[in-house]
Amino acid sequence: MALIELDTDARDNGLAGMIRDLISQNLANHADREKDLKALDGNIAIVARDIEVSLTLVCTRGSVVIHDGVRPPCKLTITTDSDNILKLSTLKITGGLPNYFDKTGREILGLLFGGKLKIRGLLAHPVLLTRITRLFSVY
Amino acid sequence: MAIPFPSEEWIAAYKEKINSNPNYKESGANWEHGTIALILQLDDENALQKARQDPILSKQLKADETAVGVWLDLYHGVCKEAKRVSVDEANQAKFVISGGYARWKAVLKKELDPVKGMMQGKLKLKGDLPTIVRFVKAAQDLVDSATMIDTKFVDE
């Protein structure tokens, strides 16, 4: 059973609670994605710059503790506006991979190439990014 | 004439605005995921006092009531029922969004986007988040419907 919890410092961080619920409920709906959680290792930061809210998922192969703020060293740091964070979770998974060819996928690529979505660590940790995208995806 | 928030008259007007909002009709067309309740905590002492003096709200607020629930029965882009409920009843809804008076007032005045408010911890959401994420546009249109009501805020 996967363990996803909020650290006490993240109790007032609404986004942290939403990410915890999103991953937990996605895992309940897609049990096959538990293998992604078990493979996650390292810190992943999410920064919603327009509302000045940030968090870090500290992942240790099967468990995730979500902290308030950015906790380096992070393998991935996803920085974008709050609206786009939810958009990331609407990316469809096709054949086990995020689909960047449908409308949502193209919009996300547009954000990435337009500089409105920044993913530091994208080139160094593409597998990690794919796994966290699968855990976030509501489809 | 402006309708005091959160009176039963305001809730009835809310139902009308939802059902006359073509954007919600479209974005909520596939909604078949159950009821949504809004919980308004009357945590602002000034607003609570003024509400007790308001000719409409004073008749509807119970003496010990410090929160009001708004129950929305939504199905395929239509609001079938909107009614005032207790907090206990509101908590039985499939999805519950709760917040204090000042937060809801900011939402209705379009000063606070509800989704951003949730991310900032200003509003709390209870329910299946993946479902809500798939219907973010519908949620925004629902809120937009509320902002179309000529609302009277009792503390102003």
Short mmCIF file of all heavy atoms in Angstrom, two decimals, chain A residues 12-15 18 21-22 25-26 29 50-51 53 82-83 86 89-90 138-139, chain B residues 113 115-121 123-125 127-131 133-134 136 140:
data_model
loop_
_atom_site.label_atom_id
_atom_site.label_comp_id
_atom_site.label_asym_id
_atom_site.label_seq_id
_atom_site.Cartn_x
_atom_site.Cartn_y
_atom_site.Cartn_z
N ASP A 12 -0.92 23.81 5.79
CA ASP A 12 -1.66 24.99 5.31
C ASP A 12 -1.44 25.24 3.82
O ASP A 12 -1.92 26.24 3.29
CB ASP A 12 -1.25 26.24 6.11
CG ASP A 12 -1.66 26.13 7.57
OD1 ASP A 12 -2.70 25.48 7.84
OD2 ASP A 12 -0.94 26.66 8.44
N ASN A 13 -0.68 24.36 3.19
CA ASN A 13 -0.39 24.52 1.76
C ASN A 13 -1.48 23.77 0.98
O ASN A 13 -1.49 22.54 0.92
CB ASN A 13 1.01 23.93 1.48
CG ASN A 13 1.45 24.11 0.04
OD1 ASN A 13 0.63 24.01 -0.87
ND2 ASN A 13 2.73 24.36 -0.15
N GLY A 14 -2.43 24.52 0.42
CA GLY A 14 -3.57 23.92 -0.26
C GLY A 14 -3.15 23.05 -1.43
O GLY A 14 -3.70 21.96 -1.65
N LEU A 15 -2.15 23.52 -2.17
CA LEU A 15 -1.69 22.75 -3.34
C LEU A 15 -1.11 21.41 -2.89
O LEU A 15 -1.33 20.38 -3.55
CB LEU A 15 -0.66 23.57 -4.13
CG LEU A 15 -0.09 22.90 -5.37
CD1 LEU A 15 -1.18 22.58 -6.39
CD2 LEU A 15 0.98 23.80 -6.04
N MET A 18 -3.85 19.09 -2.29
CA MET A 18 -4.46 18.68 -3.55
C MET A 18 -3.60 17.63 -4.26
O MET A 18 -4.12 16.65 -4.79
CB MET A 18 -4.68 19.90 -4.45
CG MET A 18 -5.77 20.82 -3.95
SD MET A 18 -5.87 22.36 -4.88
CE MET A 18 -6.81 21.84 -6.31
N ASP A 21 -4.02 14.32 -2.51
CA ASP A 21 -5.30 13.69 -2.84
C ASP A 21 -5.30 13.18 -4.28
O ASP A 21 -5.81 12.09 -4.57
CB ASP A 21 -6.45 14.70 -2.67
CG ASP A 21 -6.66 15.06 -1.20
OD1 ASP A 21 -6.07 14.38 -0.33
OD2 ASP A 21 -7.39 16.03 -0.93
N LEU A 22 -4.72 14.00 -5.16
CA LEU A 22 -4.69 13.62 -6.58
C LEU A 22 -3.94 12.31 -6.78
O LEU A 22 -4.44 11.38 -7.43
CB LEU A 22 -4.02 14.75 -7.39
CG LEU A 22 -4.11 14.67 -8.89
CD1 LEU A 22 -5.55 14.83 -9.36
CD2 LEU A 22 -3.25 15.76 -9.53
N GLN A 25 -5.85 9.34 -4.97
CA GLN A 25 -7.09 8.93 -5.64
C GLN A 25 -6.79 8.35 -7.02
O GLN A 25 -7.47 7.42 -7.46
CB GLN A 25 -8.05 10.12 -5.69
CG GLN A 25 -8.56 10.47 -4.30
CD GLN A 25 -9.16 11.86 -4.17
OE1 GLN A 25 -9.09 12.68 -5.08
NE2 GLN A 25 -9.74 12.15 -3.01
N ASN A 26 -5.75 8.87 -7.68
CA ASN A 26 -5.36 8.27 -8.97
C ASN A 26 -4.89 6.83 -8.78
O ASN A 26 -5.19 5.95 -9.59
CB ASN A 26 -4.25 9.09 -9.62
CG ASN A 26 -4.79 10.24 -10.44
OD1 ASN A 26 -5.96 10.24 -10.81
ND2 ASN A 26 -3.95 11.23 -10.72
N ASN A 29 -7.72 4.59 -8.40
CA ASN A 29 -8.42 4.35 -9.67
C ASN A 29 -7.58 3.56 -10.67
O ASN A 29 -8.12 2.96 -11.60
CB ASN A 29 -8.83 5.68 -10.32
CG ASN A 29 -9.84 6.44 -9.47
OD1 ASN A 29 -10.58 5.82 -8.70
ND2 ASN A 29 -9.88 7.75 -9.59
N ASP A 50 2.52 32.20 -9.83
CA ASP A 50 1.56 33.31 -9.75
C ASP A 50 0.93 33.45 -8.38
O ASP A 50 0.51 34.54 -7.98
CB ASP A 50 0.46 33.15 -10.82
CG ASP A 50 -0.31 31.85 -10.69
OD1 ASP A 50 0.28 30.85 -10.28
OD2 ASP A 50 -1.52 31.85 -11.00
N ILE A 51 0.85 32.35 -7.64
CA ILE A 51 0.23 32.43 -6.31
C ILE A 51 1.26 32.22 -5.20
O ILE A 51 0.90 32.13 -4.02
CB ILE A 51 -0.94 31.42 -6.16
CG1 ILE A 51 -0.49 29.99 -6.48
CG2 ILE A 51 -2.12 31.81 -7.03
CD1 ILE A 51 -1.54 28.93 -6.15
N VAL A 53 3.08 29.69 -4.29
CA VAL A 53 2.94 28.46 -3.51
C VAL A 53 3.90 27.43 -4.10
O VAL A 53 3.99 27.29 -5.32
CB VAL A 53 1.48 27.93 -3.57
CG1 VAL A 53 1.37 26.56 -2.88
CG2 VAL A 53 0.51 28.91 -2.91
N SER A 82 -0.46 28.52 -11.64
CA SER A 82 -1.34 27.55 -10.98
C SER A 82 -2.30 26.86 -11.94
O SER A 82 -2.54 25.65 -11.83
CB SER A 82 -2.12 28.23 -9.85
OG SER A 82 -2.76 29.39 -10.32
N ASP A 83 -2.85 27.61 -12.91
CA ASP A 83 -3.79 27.02 -13.87
C ASP A 83 -3.15 25.85 -14.62
O ASP A 83 -3.79 24.84 -14.90
CB ASP A 83 -4.21 28.05 -14.93
CG ASP A 83 -5.06 29.15 -14.33
OD1 ASP A 83 -5.57 28.95 -13.22
OD2 ASP A 83 -5.20 30.20 -14.98
N LEU A 86 -2.84 22.19 -12.95
CA LEU A 86 -3.98 21.27 -13.13
C LEU A 86 -4.02 20.75 -14.56
O LEU A 86 -4.41 19.62 -14.80
CB LEU A 86 -5.29 21.96 -12.76
CG LEU A 86 -5.52 22.21 -11.27
CD1 LEU A 86 -6.93 22.71 -11.03
CD2 LEU A 86 -5.28 20.95 -10.44
N SER A 89 -2.17 17.65 -15.12
CA SER A 89 -2.81 16.41 -14.68
C SER A 89 -3.92 15.96 -15.63
O SER A 89 -4.50 14.89 -15.42
CB SER A 89 -3.34 16.56 -13.25
OG SER A 89 -4.34 17.52 -13.21
N THR A 90 -4.20 16.75 -16.65
CA THR A 90 -5.20 16.30 -17.64
C THR A 90 -4.53 15.71 -18.90
O THR A 90 -5.20 15.40 -19.88
CB THR A 90 -6.14 17.46 -18.07
OG1 THR A 90 -5.37 18.50 -18.65
CG2 THR A 90 -6.92 17.99 -16.89
N VAL A 138 -5.16 12.29 -14.52
CA VAL A 138 -6.49 11.84 -14.05
C VAL A 138 -7.16 10.93 -15.08
O VAL A 138 -8.30 10.51 -14.88
CB VAL A 138 -7.41 13.05 -13.74
CG1 VAL A 138 -6.82 13.88 -12.63
CG2 VAL A 138 -7.68 13.89 -14.97
N TYR A 139 -6.45 10.65 -16.17
CA TYR A 139 -7.02 9.76 -17.21
C TYR A 139 -6.32 8.41 -17.22
O TYR A 139 -5.22 8.29 -16.79
CB TYR A 139 -6.89 10.41 -18.59
CG TYR A 139 -7.79 11.61 -18.72
CD1 TYR A 139 -7.25 12.89 -18.67
CD2 TYR A 139 -9.16 11.48 -18.86
CE1 TYR A 139 -8.06 14.01 -18.77
CE2 TYR A 139 -9.98 12.59 -18.96
CZ TYR A 139 -9.43 13.84 -18.92
OH TYR A 139 -10.24 14.94 -19.01
N ASP B 113 -9.96 33.66 -7.42
CA ASP B 113 -10.30 32.52 -8.26
C ASP B 113 -10.42 31.30 -7.33
O ASP B 113 -9.50 31.03 -6.54
CB ASP B 113 -9.19 32.31 -9.29
CG ASP B 113 -9.43 31.09 -10.16
OD1 ASP B 113 -9.17 29.96 -9.67
OD2 ASP B 113 -9.86 31.27 -11.29
N VAL B 115 -10.18 28.08 -7.71
CA VAL B 115 -9.16 27.01 -7.82
C VAL B 115 -7.84 27.50 -7.22
O VAL B 115 -7.18 26.77 -6.46
CB VAL B 115 -8.99 26.57 -9.29
CG1 VAL B 115 -7.86 25.55 -9.41
CG2 VAL B 115 -10.29 25.96 -9.81
N LYS B 116 -7.49 28.74 -7.51
CA LYS B 116 -6.27 29.31 -6.89
C LYS B 116 -6.46 29.36 -5.37
O LYS B 116 -5.53 29.09 -4.61
CB LYS B 116 -6.01 30.72 -7.43
CG LYS B 116 -5.47 30.75 -8.86
CD LYS B 116 -5.22 32.20 -9.28
CE LYS B 116 -4.49 32.34 -10.60
NZ LYS B 116 -5.13 31.77 -11.76
N GLY B 117 -7.67 29.72 -4.96
CA GLY B 117 -7.97 29.77 -3.53
C GLY B 117 -7.76 28.43 -2.85
O GLY B 117 -7.25 28.35 -1.73
N MET B 118 -8.13 27.35 -3.55
CA MET B 118 -7.93 26.01 -3.00
C MET B 118 -6.43 25.71 -2.89
O MET B 118 -5.96 25.14 -1.91
CB MET B 118 -8.59 24.96 -3.89
CG MET B 118 -10.10 24.95 -3.79
SD MET B 118 -10.75 23.78 -4.99
CE MET B 118 -12.37 24.46 -5.26
N MET B 119 -5.69 26.09 -3.92
CA MET B 119 -4.24 25.84 -3.91
C MET B 119 -3.54 26.63 -2.80
O MET B 119 -2.51 26.21 -2.28
CB MET B 119 -3.64 26.19 -5.26
CG MET B 119 -4.03 25.25 -6.36
SD MET B 119 -3.25 25.75 -7.90
CE MET B 119 -3.73 24.41 -8.97
N GLN B 120 -4.11 27.79 -2.49
CA GLN B 120 -3.51 28.62 -1.45
C GLN B 120 -4.01 28.24 -0.05
O GLN B 120 -3.57 28.83 0.93
CB GLN B 120 -3.84 30.10 -1.72
CG GLN B 120 -3.11 30.65 -2.94
CD GLN B 120 -3.62 32.03 -3.33
OE1 GLN B 120 -4.82 32.24 -3.50
NE2 GLN B 120 -2.70 32.97 -3.48
N GLY B 121 -4.93 27.29 -0.01
CA GLY B 121 -5.47 26.86 1.27
C GLY B 121 -6.54 27.80 1.81
O GLY B 121 -6.94 27.69 2.97
N LEU B 123 -9.63 28.07 0.45
CA LEU B 123 -10.86 27.28 0.36
C LEU B 123 -10.45 25.82 0.45
O LEU B 123 -9.36 25.46 -0.01
CB LEU B 123 -11.58 27.53 -0.97
CG LEU B 123 -12.12 28.93 -1.24
CD1 LEU B 123 -12.61 29.03 -2.69
CD2 LEU B 123 -13.25 29.30 -0.29
N LYS B 124 -11.30 25.00 1.05
CA LYS B 124 -10.97 23.57 1.18
C LYS B 124 -11.92 22.75 0.31
O LYS B 124 -13.13 23.02 0.30
CB LYS B 124 -11.14 23.11 2.63
CG LYS B 124 -10.35 23.92 3.63
CD LYS B 124 -8.94 23.44 3.75
CE LYS B 124 -8.18 24.22 4.82
NZ LYS B 124 -6.75 24.26 4.59
N LEU B 125 -11.35 21.78 -0.36
CA LEU B 125 -12.16 20.89 -1.20
C LEU B 125 -12.14 19.48 -0.61
O LEU B 125 -11.07 18.98 -0.27
CB LEU B 125 -11.61 20.86 -2.63
CG LEU B 125 -12.21 19.81 -3.55
CD1 LEU B 125 -13.63 20.16 -3.93
CD2 LEU B 125 -11.37 19.64 -4.81
N GLY B 127 -13.54 15.63 -1.67
CA GLY B 127 -14.17 14.87 -2.75
C GLY B 127 -13.11 14.34 -3.68
O GLY B 127 -11.91 14.54 -3.45
N ASP B 128 -13.54 13.65 -4.71
CA ASP B 128 -12.61 13.02 -5.63
C ASP B 128 -11.96 14.06 -6.54
O ASP B 128 -12.60 14.57 -7.47
CB ASP B 128 -13.36 11.97 -6.46
CG ASP B 128 -12.41 11.16 -7.31
OD1 ASP B 128 -11.55 10.47 -6.74
OD2 ASP B 128 -12.52 11.22 -8.55
N LEU B 129 -10.71 14.38 -6.25
CA LEU B 129 -10.03 15.46 -6.99
C LEU B 129 -9.88 15.16 -8.48
O LEU B 129 -10.07 16.07 -9.31
CB LEU B 129 -8.69 15.76 -6.34
CG LEU B 129 -8.06 17.08 -6.76
CD1 LEU B 129 -8.93 18.26 -6.41
CD2 LEU B 129 -6.70 17.24 -6.12
N PRO B 130 -9.54 13.91 -8.87
CA PRO B 130 -9.44 13.65 -10.31
C PRO B 130 -10.72 14.02 -11.07
O PRO B 130 -10.65 14.51 -12.20
CB PRO B 130 -9.16 12.15 -10.38
CG PRO B 130 -8.45 11.84 -9.10
CD PRO B 130 -9.10 12.74 -8.08
N THR B 131 -11.87 13.83 -10.44
CA THR B 131 -13.13 14.21 -11.10
C THR B 131 -13.21 15.72 -11.25
O THR B 131 -13.54 16.24 -12.33
CB THR B 131 -14.34 13.69 -10.28
OG1 THR B 131 -14.23 12.28 -10.16
CG2 THR B 131 -15.66 14.04 -10.94
N VAL B 133 -10.78 17.83 -11.37
CA VAL B 133 -9.79 18.30 -12.34
C VAL B 133 -10.33 18.15 -13.77
O VAL B 133 -10.10 19.02 -14.62
CB VAL B 133 -8.45 17.52 -12.16
CG1 VAL B 133 -7.51 17.78 -13.32
CG2 VAL B 133 -7.79 17.92 -10.86
N ARG B 134 -11.07 17.08 -14.00
CA ARG B 134 -11.64 16.88 -15.35
C ARG B 134 -12.75 17.89 -15.63
O ARG B 134 -13.11 18.10 -16.78
CB ARG B 134 -12.19 15.45 -15.49
CG ARG B 134 -11.10 14.40 -15.60
CD ARG B 134 -11.66 13.09 -16.13
NE ARG B 134 -12.54 12.46 -15.19
CZ ARG B 134 -12.16 11.56 -14.27
NH1 ARG B 134 -10.90 11.21 -14.18
NH2 ARG B 134 -13.02 11.02 -13.45
N VAL B 136 -12.79 21.22 -14.37
CA VAL B 136 -12.38 22.54 -13.86
C VAL B 136 -13.17 23.67 -14.53
O VAL B 136 -13.62 24.61 -13.87
CB VAL B 136 -10.86 22.75 -14.05
CG1 VAL B 136 -10.48 24.21 -13.92
CG2 VAL B 136 -10.10 21.97 -12.99
N GLN B 140 -15.52 26.46 -12.79
CA GLN B 140 -15.36 27.91 -12.98
C GLN B 140 -16.67 28.55 -13.47
O GLN B 140 -17.04 29.64 -13.04
CB GLN B 140 -14.21 28.20 -13.94
CG GLN B 140 -12.86 28.02 -13.24
CD GLN B 140 -11.69 27.91 -14.19
OE1 GLN B 140 -11.86 27.61 -15.37
NE2 GLN B 140 -10.50 28.14 -13.68
#
